Amino acid sequence: LSRRRSVRTADAIQEAAADLFYKHGFEATSLRQVAAKVGIQVGSLYNHISGKDVLLGNIMIGIMDDLLTAIRSSIAEKSEPAEAFRAAIDCHIRFHAEHARDVFIGNSELRSLEPKALRQVVAKRDEYEGILRELIQRVADEGHADVIDVRLQSYALMALGSHVAVWYKAKGPMSLDEVVSAYTKMIFRQMGLVSAEV
Amino acid sequence: LSRRRSVRTADAIQEAAADLFYKHGFEATSLRQVAAKVGIQVGSLYNHISGKDVLLGNIMIGIMDDLLTAIRSSIAEKSEPAEAFRAAIDCHIRFHAEHARDVFIGNSELRSLEPKALRQVVAKRDEYEGILRELIQRVADEGHADVIDVRLQSYALMALGSHVAVWYKAKGPMSLDEVVSAYTKMIFRQMGLVSAEV
Amino acid sequence: LSRRRSVRTADAIQEAAADLFYKHGFEATSLRQVAAKVGIQVGSLYNHISGKDVLLGNIMIGIMDDLLTAIRSSIAEKSEPAEAFRAAIDCHIRFHAEHARDVFIGNSELRSLEPKALRQVVAKRDEYEGILRELIQRVADEGHADVIDVRLQSYALMALGSHVAVWYKAKGPMSLDEVVSAYTKMIFRQMGLVSAEV
Amino acid sequence: LSRRRSVRTADAIQEAAADLFYKHGFEATSLRQVAAKVGIQVGSLYNHISGKDVLLGNIMIGIMDDLLTAIRSSIAEKSEPAEAFRAAIDCHIRFHAEHARDVFIGNSELRSLEPKALRQVVAKRDEYEGILRELIQRVADEGHADVIDVRLQSYALMALGSHVAVWYKAKGPMSLDEVVSAYTKMIFRQMGLVSAEV
DNA sequence: CATGAATGAGTCTTCATTCAT
DNA sequence: AATGAATGAAGACTCATTCAT
């Protein structure tokens, strides 16, 4: 059926657009480039998307959904706060390293979003940060950690994630596991948590 | 003298452009907007700049120079590694918090730079990171710190700086001194440095 | 039968197109709008029409045919010139008032017709005006009227018809009968005809 | 100075646009055509106009202003109602015959106007009709005329004007004076006015 | 120095039309 | 018959840049 083909084209458009938005930025990317990358004419794009803004919006919302899904499932069955926190950090660093492109777009193209999509994305972003913050709080409440400032601590976590996405390369000198392990130690220390405990 | 006026106009253009690049991004900013903000016509811009790219290049190089000057003078007369490191962190966080606009541009518009300017900016950026890394290394060598990975540690520092620039507001709930102090503590812990020692 | 359904769809397309051409004009109406109004997809239109121009041509030719049929049957069995003329005016005003949409399209979209259809429509239009002109001439020849200029008089008649179509609303303050009666009087006076005579 | 040149270009654009809107209609006219007719590039148009709609709006408002100015000055110093009415009709027919292009645009492109310009044009149009209607009313009040319906009578006048614009050609068989004289007689008769009286 | 008209390439988007399913 | 993806041309409009005044 052509139904499948259509879906494939729509996906290809999102993929191509994400690649180009990553490389050149949303504003600097023309739909001509997107169409060329997909292998269709510019006008044909409009059989699958309703406009350039919406395309960006969908991509960014999709990214945030993936991120939320990942973090939620990572902590799903951990009842111990410290255990959940460790799992969350693992997921957090790993996701950012493995989805560098998407993470970068998610961080840098917020200002190109139309108001409505912006609100949605910001809401999801707040939700994500809320999850991290609650985990930090719970670890602190349990008495295992000596958190200086929960808000700042969550910011620091977000910062590390975004930054890993910038420099980490799969073919670089450190394996992803090593990176995750090193960052985990650093974060634990930051919070006055003794790594061994967890 | 009209010489002065000219200089003032040229500066006003850089200021206006930086504001707009920050708010809307380089690609999304038109020289018409810049001219309007300065209060002149588009054509008149070309009496002061030679093109849009060069304008961006100058802004970014200027930012990097300011940053380098700041960090250098902060550690100028500190002979003790730990003392110098503490001063550098203080400067690093403070600069990023106080120059949010410039820092943001410096991080997000690299890809809009023409090759030549890009090389210059990247060189300065590498230089800056080199300074941080050397400080970390020296502190580690002295034996006061237990650094997990020097490179990662410098990355983490850079990440925190960029991120502070995003969220810190002069009128927010924390004073700049408090922010600096908290971040300093967190970084010291990360490195296994006992704050009290320094 | 699907034969009937097909005819019904074809008619619905003409109806929808006429509505839209009336409201927005031929050039400003897209086939997408037409299809949407009918409740089918754009591509499906081409099972019933062969193109946008032809659609317009058919509509306009249909309108002219209706008009010609109406005027002819209105004067069919009137042998007295004055009687026939009165009947024709009645029909003329009434038709224009009752078919405002079609009349408006017929007047305003001539320039959007392709040459061939244009010739056809203009021929029918000339034919219609010829009928009016002949009636005027006959009334004048009979000596009952004092026509200043037959051509101008026929133009005036055409003008009134087109204009009635613009302002007359079925739910307005005057009934159609009143409008017809008033216009008839005015035209008779214009021609120096005493209304009572006829 | 270039000031004059600029004004001339701006005028040339309005002229060219009016010609093309007349010939092909607003929707069917592209700014490319307008620019080509003026002898500049499409983009250059935007140094003089702010958009296609505004261009149309300015043209139509200009037309209505001209028409209002003409009718007002035609009746300026006539104190006798019948005399003023005769002068108004003269002006009305003459203006419509001599400004066929503008009148046609004024009548046919109302639906292409943006709401704001539409309101302005409709207001001016109402004002014009109001003037005609008041003249008719005054003639009727004076007792010289037997007007069947003032509103209809004013409509009829408007209709004749629009229609004259359609068929009258300066090089046609009738001189403009003859046309005006014939129409005047016809209108007087319509209103039961004895031409000789005035 | 400032102006503003002109340029020409480029932007997103819409459209009538075709065609395989 | 109906669908919907694809096409290619065209639309209005914006932009960085140039240059005569």
Side-chain angles (χ1 to χ4, degrees):
Chain A
L1 281 160
S2 81
R3 190 62 161 274
R4 246 191 216 141
R5 174 147 195 184
S6 171
V7 169
R8 235 186 304 149
T9 303
D11 285 351
I13 291 172
Q14 279 223 8
E15 240 354 75
D19 277 355
L20 291 163
F21 292 168
Y22 176 56
K23 225 181 286 182
H24 312 298
F26 174 76
E27 295 281 354
T29 300
S30 81
L31 290 185
R32 265 178 167 71
Q33 293 172 274
V34 177
K37 191 156 194 174
V38 176
I40 58 178
Q41 295 303 112
V42 206
S44 310
L45 286 177
Y46 287 82
N47 288 320
H48 304 277
I49 64 172
S50 61
K52 203 187 172 192
D53 335 2
V54 180
L55 180 54
L56 176 63
N58 289 343
I59 289 174
M60 292 191 69
I61 290 171
I63 294 168
M64 291 313 298
D65 282 340
D66 289 350
L67 183 55
L68 278 169
T69 303
I71 197 92
R72 281 208 191 96
S73 87
S74 80
I75 59 175
E77 296 173 11
K78 321 284 182 194
S79 48
E80 282 297 301
E83 190 192 14
F85 184 59
R86 173 183 281 275
I89 289 178
D90 190 282
C91 166
H92 177 72
I93 300 295
R94 214 171 283 274
F95 187 98
H96 280 78
E98 286 177 333
H99 299 78
R101 185 195 70 181
D102 296 347
V103 165
F104 184 82
I105 296 175
N107 280 329
S108 57
E109 298 298 0
L110 281 168
R111 66 185 163 199
S112 297
L113 281 176
E114 32 153 21
K116 198 185 143 194
L118 179 58
R119 273 194 302 274
Q120 285 183 265
V121 171
V122 167
K124 289 178 194 293
R125 173 177 276 253
D126 287 348
E127 198 178 338
Y128 184 77
E129 204 209 314
I131 293 175
L132 288 186
R133 209 179 287 192
E134 197 190 319
L135 287 170
I136 295 169
Q137 188 65 59
R138 274 203 283 167
V139 172
D141 289 348
E142 246 201 347
H144 293 306
D146 170 30
V147 177
I148 295 168
D149 183 298
V150 175
R151 195 169 60 111
L152 246 66
Q153 191 62 55
S154 76
Y155 286 169
L157 240 56
M158 302 285 280
L160 288 182
S162 304
H163 206 250
V164 164
V166 172
W167 67 261
Y168 173 77
K169 302 290 166 205
K171 314 197 170 174
M174 291 181 83
S175 76
L176 184 47
D177 283 341
E178 288 170 329
V179 172
V180 169
S181 146
Y183 268 112
T184 304
K185 266 191 223 160
M186 285 162 65
I187 292 164
F188 274 31
R189 281 192 185 170
Q190 249 183 7
M191 296 173 60
L193 251 173
V194 180
S195 168
E197 287 189 46
V198 218
Chain B
L1 288 168
S2 87
R3 185 64 162 274
R4 249 195 211 137
R5 173 132 182 209
S6 169
V7 171
R8 235 187 304 148
T9 304
D11 286 350
I13 290 172
Q14 279 223 8
E15 262 319 286
D19 277 356
L20 290 163
F21 292 168
Y22 177 54
K23 225 180 289 182
H24 312 298
F26 173 76
E27 295 281 356
T29 300
S30 81
L31 289 186
R32 270 165 172 81
Q33 291 173 273
V34 176
K37 190 155 194 174
V38 176
I40 59 179
Q41 296 303 114
V42 209
S44 310
L45 285 177
Y46 287 81
N47 292 318
H48 305 275
I49 64 172
S50 60
K52 203 188 172 191
D53 335 2
V54 179
L55 181 54
L56 176 63
N58 289 344
I59 290 174
M60 291 190 69
I61 290 172
I63 293 168
M64 290 314 297
D65 282 340
D66 289 350
L67 184 55
L68 278 169
T69 303
I71 198 93
R72 283 209 190 94
S73 88
S74 80
I75 59 174
E77 298 172 9
K78 320 284 183 195
S79 50
E80 281 297 302
E83 190 191 15
F85 184 58
R86 175 184 280 277
I89 289 178
D90 191 282
C91 168
H92 178 72
I93 301 293
R94 215 172 282 275
F95 187 96
H96 279 79
E98 286 176 335
H99 299 77
R101 183 197 70 181
D102 296 347
V103 165
F104 184 83
I105 296 175
N107 280 327
S108 56
E109 298 298 358
L110 282 169
R111 66 185 162 198
S112 298
L113 281 176
E114 32 154 22
K116 197 185 144 193
L118 179 58
R119 273 193 302 275
Q120 286 183 265
V121 171
V122 167
K124 289 177 194 292
R125 173 177 275 252
D126 287 348
E127 198 178 339
Y128 183 78
E129 205 209 312
I131 294 174
L132 287 187
R133 211 180 284 194
E134 197 189 320
L135 287 170
I136 295 169
Q137 188 66 58
R138 275 203 283 166
V139 171
D141 289 347
E142 244 201 350
H144 291 307
D146 169 30
V147 177
I148 294 168
D149 182 297
V150 176
R151 194 169 62 108
L152 246 66
Q153 191 61 55
S154 77
Y155 285 169
L157 239 55
M158 301 287 279
L160 288 182
S162 304
H163 206 248
V164 165
V166 172
W167 66 262
Y168 172 77
K169 301 291 167 207
K171 313 196 170 173
M174 290 181 86
S175 77
L176 184 47
D177 283 341
E178 289 170 329
V179 172
V180 169
S181 149
Y183 268 112
T184 303
K185 264 191 229 164
M186 285 162 64
I187 292 163
F188 275 31
R189 280 191 185 171
Q190 245 181 11
M191 295 172 61
L193 253 172
V194 182
S195 169
E197 288 189 47
V198 216
Chain C
L1 289 167
S2 87
R3 186 62 161 276
R4 252 202 207 127
R5 174 135 184 202
S6 169
V7 170
R8 236 188 302 147
T9 303
D11 285 351
I13 291 172
Q14 279 224 8
E15 261 321 283
D19 277 354
L20 290 163
F21 292 169
Y22 177 55
K23 226 182 286 182
H24 312 299
F26 174 77
E27 295 280 354
T29 299
S30 81
L31 288 186
R32 270 165 171 81
Q33 292 172 274
V34 176
K37 191 156 194 175
V38 175
I40 59 179
Q41 296 304 113
V42 209
S44 310
L45 285 178
Y46 287 82
N47 291 320
H48 304 275
I49 65 172
S50 60
K52 204 187 173 192
D53 334 4
V54 178
L55 181 54
L56 176 63
N58 289 343
I59 290 174
M60 292 189 69
I61 290 171
I63 294 169
M64 291 313 298
D65 282 341
D66 289 349
L67 183 56
L68 278 169
T69 303
I71 197 93
R72 281 207 191 98
S73 87
S74 80
I75 59 174
E77 297 173 9
K78 320 284 180 189
S79 49
E80 282 297 300
E83 192 192 14
F85 184 58
R86 174 184 280 277
I89 289 176
D90 191 281
C91 167
H92 178 71
I93 300 293
R94 213 172 283 276
F95 187 97
H96 280 79
E98 286 176 334
H99 298 78
R101 185 195 71 181
D102 296 346
V103 164
F104 184 83
I105 296 174
N107 280 327
S108 56
E109 299 297 0
L110 281 169
R111 66 186 164 198
S112 297
L113 281 176
E114 32 154 20
K116 195 185 145 195
L118 179 59
R119 273 194 301 275
Q120 286 182 265
V121 170
V122 167
K124 288 177 194 292
R125 174 178 274 252
D126 287 348
E127 197 179 340
Y128 183 76
E129 204 209 315
I131 294 175
L132 288 187
R133 211 180 284 191
E134 196 190 321
L135 287 170
I136 295 169
Q137 189 65 57
R138 274 203 282 166
V139 172
D141 289 348
E142 244 200 351
H144 291 307
D146 171 29
V147 177
I148 294 167
D149 183 298
V150 174
R151 193 169 62 110
L152 246 67
Q153 192 61 56
S154 76
Y155 285 168
L157 238 55
M158 302 286 280
L160 289 182
S162 304
H163 206 249
V164 164
V166 172
W167 67 261
Y168 173 78
K169 303 287 167 207
K171 313 196 170 175
M174 290 180 86
S175 76
L176 185 47
D177 283 341
E178 286 170 330
V179 172
V180 169
S181 145
Y183 269 111
T184 304
K185 266 191 226 163
M186 284 163 65
I187 291 163
F188 275 30
R189 280 190 185 171
Q190 250 182 7
M191 295 173 62
L193 251 174
V194 180
S195 167
E197 285 191 49
V198 220
Chain D
L1 282 159
S2 82
R3 189 64 161 274
R4 250 194 211 136
R5 174 142 189 192
S6 171
V7 169
R8 233 187 306 147
T9 304
D11 286 351
I13 290 172
Q14 279 223 8
E15 244 347 82
D19 277 356
L20 290 162
F21 292 169
Y22 176 55
K23 224 180 290 180
H24 311 298
F26 174 77
E27 295 281 355
T29 299
S30 81
L31 289 185
R32 266 179 167 73
Q33 294 173 273
V34 176
K37 190 156 195 176
V38 175
I40 58 179
Q41 297 301 112
V42 205
S44 309
L45 285 177
Y46 287 84
N47 289 320
H48 305 277
I49 64 172
S50 59
K52 204 188 172 192
D53 334 1
V54 179
L55 181 53
L56 176 63
N58 289 342
I59 289 174
M60 292 190 70
I61 289 172
I63 293 168
M64 290 313 298
D65 282 339
D66 289 350
L67 182 57
L68 278 169
T69 303
I71 196 95
R72 282 208 190 95
S73 87
S74 80
I75 59 174
E77 296 172 11
K78 320 285 183 193
S79 50
E80 280 298 301
E83 190 192 14
F85 184 58
R86 174 184 282 276
I89 289 178
D90 190 281
C91 167
H92 178 72
I93 300 295
R94 214 171 282 275
F95 187 99
H96 280 78
E98 286 176 332
H99 298 78
R101 184 196 70 181
D102 295 347
V103 164
F104 184 83
I105 295 174
N107 281 327
S108 57
E109 298 297 359
L110 282 169
R111 68 185 162 197
S112 297
L113 281 176
E114 33 155 21
K116 197 185 145 195
L118 179 58
R119 273 193 300 274
Q120 285 183 265
V121 170
V122 167
K124 288 176 195 294
R125 174 178 274 254
D126 287 348
E127 200 178 338
Y128 183 77
E129 205 210 312
I131 293 174
L132 288 187
R133 211 180 285 195
E134 198 190 319
L135 287 171
I136 296 169
Q137 188 66 58
R138 274 203 283 167
V139 171
D141 288 348
E142 243 201 351
H144 291 308
D146 170 31
V147 177
I148 293 168
D149 183 297
V150 175
R151 194 170 63 110
L152 246 67
Q153 190 62 52
S154 77
Y155 285 169
L157 240 56
M158 302 284 281
L160 289 182
S162 304
H163 206 248
V164 164
V166 172
W167 66 262
Y168 173 78
K169 302 290 166 205
K171 312 197 171 173
M174 290 181 86
S175 76
L176 183 48
D177 282 340
E178 287 170 331
V179 171
V180 169
S181 150
Y183 268 113
T184 304
K185 263 191 230 164
M186 285 162 64
I187 291 164
F188 273 32
R189 278 189 186 172
Q190 244 182 12
M191 296 172 60
L193 252 172
V194 181
S195 167
E197 286 190 49
V198 217

